[in-house]
Amino acid sequence: MPRGSPSPLTQGIPCPGCGHKEEHEPPLSLHHSREDGGRQLKRERTRRGTGTARTAGPEDGRMLSAALSIGVLLALLGSGAAGTAPQGCDIPPQELTRMLQILERSVAESEMPNPSVLLAFNLAGATGSNGRQHLLKQIEEDAVKRAQKDMSSGQVALYTLALLSSCHDPRHVESQGHSVNLLQVLEQKTHKEVARLEEYGVPLTTLYSVGLDVLALCLTSTGDYEQDAIILAKQLLNPESQIDVDTQAVVALALECVYNRTKLHDTLDLLQEALKEVANSFLDKQAEGNGVIGNIYSTSLAMQVLETASKFYAPREWDCAQAFSAVYSYQLQQPMAVAQALPALVHRPYLDAASLDCSVVAVTIPELPLSPSQDTTAQEGPPITVHYSVSNDLKGKPFDFSTTVSVPAGSTLLAVLQAAEEAKPKEFSFKTKPTSWGPMVVSIHELEGSEADRTFWQFFSGADSLQEGVSVYKPQDGEHIRAVFSTY
């Protein structure tokens, strides 16, 4: 895949996130009681009840609840890194509310539990969310059921991070009378990934996945994460490597974790060199992209690195306000994109997943009606024309088909594919499967992507690779969409 193109994860391929304060303590010992938090909340309620006020109506109650909930949440976040953020680098309360509401709704609407959403809830401090409680139970059930046989190493790593941030021990996950040791599973799967990477230069899934693996293992002081980090650092420093921004960011977070733990001087020197290379390249890309680093989705992951790795790009300074503004202006709507952005926006990176204080007051998300600008329902307009083609010259008999379809303005790319299939089912038949980024196209014209062959269907608008999935991207009138069978 050419440099700068989105990773297979961004395309929807399921390869799929060292607390600084306790970097030399085993993070699994940090399980906090919620009893003190309950007493603190009771005292807070008592203090609030001592004043006198006019009789309030239901709307006043909802607005007050919203103000108090988000106010407490921002105060809690302010006790950490966010409290020292430069001007323009703190998330506005209304934007935090909007993003948390998107995550809350996604729990009920999603076909599969999303560990990135649970991780975002926890890092943002929204542990009182009803959706979060339900999702935690789903994550535990799914981990017990599928971790060993049906999950990639990167998926196991995300589930581990999500449970760590919930102050649940990933070594002993229970559900319906069964249990699983996620760290044991993760260690086994990571070993296979790294062995393949060393022998063939590519892992079983993706480098992004291995970055998540090493980060989760480092957070829990499990396995050979230091040796794995050395291999990842050499990948970043290899001038022939073509690594996209989101993969660089996740790998850099893993290297930061190991850098904060290792005492081996040679390892420290190698990790420092790799982290300097990545961090400075992110600053360069942000300057070139007017706040965007790679694409809008990879920007938030890169922001986590720039927030935590200032010593690796000093004396240069990071214009965090420019990056924050770029993310805000995009008004992210896709739940996975929101979940990926929130940690950076609240200054709680994945590196904090094992050091959260679960005894603090749980803050609920206000249930307020969405404004028209927050409504994610597409408004259909007059018909537009979209040109659509599919091609393959990698596997089996080559083919190249083209058609033109008419769909209502505001329709997603998925509607274009459905219209093409309805008009010419023999040429444009396709199949999807659910992923955390929404439905992923796995087959077109009966040709299916394969992890073993490292093949997938990549979508382009003209010559530019799409940065959104088929259920999110909305083609314009006269646009030419191409689906190309590709390798990663």
Side-chain angles (χ1 to χ4, degrees):
M1 189 176 353
R3 181 181 295 275
S5 62
S7 73
L9 179 69
T10 305
Q11 292 293 331
I13 290 179
C15 44
C18 31
H20 303 299
K21 299 174 186 176
E22 304 288 344
E23 59 190 31
H24 297 296
E25 290 290 327
L28 291 180
S29 66
L30 302 176
H31 294 285
H32 304 283
S33 168
R34 299 180 188 272
E35 184 178 349
D36 292 337
R39 287 197 293 267
Q40 182 180 349
L41 180 58
K42 184 176 181 180
R43 290 195 298 270
E44 182 68 21
R45 287 172 176 166
T46 302
R47 287 197 296 271
R48 289 175 187 167
T50 58
T52 59
R54 67 176 176 84
T55 302
E59 183 65 25
D60 293 321
R62 286 195 295 271
M63 295 303 294
L64 179 60
S65 172
L68 289 175
S69 295
I70 295 300
V72 171
L73 181 55
L74 289 171
L76 292 173
L77 292 171
S79 66
T84 59
Q87 186 173 2
C89 302
D90 276 328
I91 186 168
Q94 66 274 18
E95 178 66 2
L96 178 58
T97 300
R98 185 189 72 84
M99 298 179 85
L100 288 173
Q101 287 175 330
I102 288 174
L103 296 186
E104 183 84 2
R105 291 197 307 273
S106 76
V107 176
E109 297 171 357
S110 177
E111 297 181 48
M112 54 191 297
N114 189 338
S116 294
V117 170
L118 178 58
L119 181 58
F121 273 139
N122 293 332
L123 291 171
T127 55
S129 154
N130 291 330
R132 182 260 183 195
Q133 305 300 333
H134 179 63
L135 180 57
L136 175 58
K137 182 178 179 181
Q138 285 184 312
I139 291 293
E140 291 175 327
E141 291 176 355
D142 201 41
V144 170
K145 187 183 301 183
R146 299 197 307 116
Q148 185 70 57
K149 294 183 179 180
D150 299 331
M151 288 187 185
S152 68
S153 66
Q155 288 173 316
V156 177
L158 275 174
Y159 275 60
T160 298
L161 291 173
L163 291 171
L164 275 178
S165 66
S166 305
C167 296
H168 284 224
D169 188 350
R171 289 191 176 97
H172 192 72
V173 184
E174 289 186 322
S175 177
Q176 299 178 351
H178 300 279
S179 65
V180 66
N181 183 338
L182 275 188
L183 294 185
Q184 185 179 68
V185 175
L186 178 59
E187 189 176 2
Q188 293 169 350
K189 290 180 180 286
T190 303
H191 177 74
K192 294 178 181 178
E193 293 272 15
V194 174
R196 174 70 178 264
L197 180 59
E198 283 191 291
E199 185 173 358
Y200 297 104
V202 293
L204 287 172
T205 55
T206 67
L207 208 59
Y208 184 106
S209 183
V210 181
L212 286 173
D213 301 343
V214 176
L215 176 58
L217 292 173
C218 177
L219 279 165
T220 55
S221 300
T222 301
D224 298 325
Y225 63 87
E226 286 193 32
Q227 185 61 38
D228 296 341
I230 291 173
I231 296 169
L232 288 177
K234 290 179 179 178
Q235 286 283 321
L236 290 181
L237 292 170
N238 183 351
E240 297 182 359
S241 295
Q242 297 185 3
I243 305 175
D244 47 74
V245 170
D246 49 0
T247 299
Q248 286 180 318
V250 169
V251 170
L253 290 172
L255 299 191
E256 279 193 75
C257 177
V258 179
Y259 184 91
N260 290 331
R261 291 170 179 259
T262 187
K263 296 180 180 179
L264 301 175
H265 292 293
D266 289 346
T267 301
L268 285 170
D269 290 343
L270 177 64
L271 299 185
Q272 182 181 48
E273 183 183 1
L275 287 166
K276 281 185 175 181
E277 175 76 20
V278 170
N280 279 284
S281 74
F282 286 173
L283 292 181
D284 294 340
K285 286 182 172 66
Q286 178 177 321
E288 296 166 2
N290 294 318
V292 175
I293 308 170
N295 60 55
I296 197 64
Y297 303 105
S298 59
T299 297
S300 54
L301 289 173
M303 286 168 62
Q304 288 193 46
V305 176
L306 293 174
E307 285 178 342
T308 56
S310 59
K311 62 186 174 184
F312 299 109
Y313 56 80
R316 298 178 70 181
E317 294 185 355
W318 175 41
D319 185 355
C320 63
Q322 184 190 44
F324 270 59
S325 177
V327 175
Y328 294 153
S329 66
Y330 205 80
Q331 285 284 293
L332 296 170
Q333 299 286 348
Q334 209 280 339
M336 184 63 190
V338 171
Q340 191 166 280
L342 258 184
L345 297 179
V346 299
H347 305 274
R348 298 284 192 189
Y350 291 172
L351 289 168
D352 286 350
S355 58
L356 298 179
D357 185 357
C358 295
S359 66
V360 299
V361 180
V363 178
T364 57
I365 300 171
E367 295 182 3
L368 296 178
L370 292 178
S371 67
S373 63
Q374 294 170 336
D375 191 352
T376 58
T377 303
Q379 300 297 316
E380 291 189 354
I384 63 171
T385 296
V386 180
H387 308 290
Y388 173 52
S389 62
V390 299
S391 61
N392 156 59
D393 59 8
L394 287 180
K395 187 175 182 180
K397 184 178 180 180
F399 58 83
D400 189 344
F401 304 117
S402 296
T403 190
T404 299
V405 299
S406 178
V407 294
S411 296
T412 64
L413 178 53
L414 185 59
V416 172
L417 270 63
Q418 291 167 341
E421 181 182 41
E422 184 176 349
K424 299 181 179 180
K426 183 177 179 180
E427 292 86 356
F428 296 100
S429 63
F430 73 99
K431 295 178 182 177
T432 66
K433 75 173 182 180
T435 75
S436 57
W437 283 92
M440 177 186 73
V441 175
V442 294
S443 171
I444 297 178
H445 192 63
E446 298 185 353
L447 178 60
E448 190 166 342
S450 165
E451 287 188 12
D453 298 335
R454 303 178 68 81
T455 54
F456 73 114
W457 281 100
Q458 187 171 13
F459 287 85
F460 296 83
S461 173
D464 299 324
S465 177
L466 297 186
Q467 307 300 322
E468 295 177 317
V470 294
S471 64
V472 177
Y473 185 77
K474 296 178 180 180
Q476 300 300 307
D477 189 28
E479 189 170 354
H480 183 194
I481 300 295
R482 297 186 301 123
V484 181
F485 198 58
S486 307
T487 59
Y488 63 92

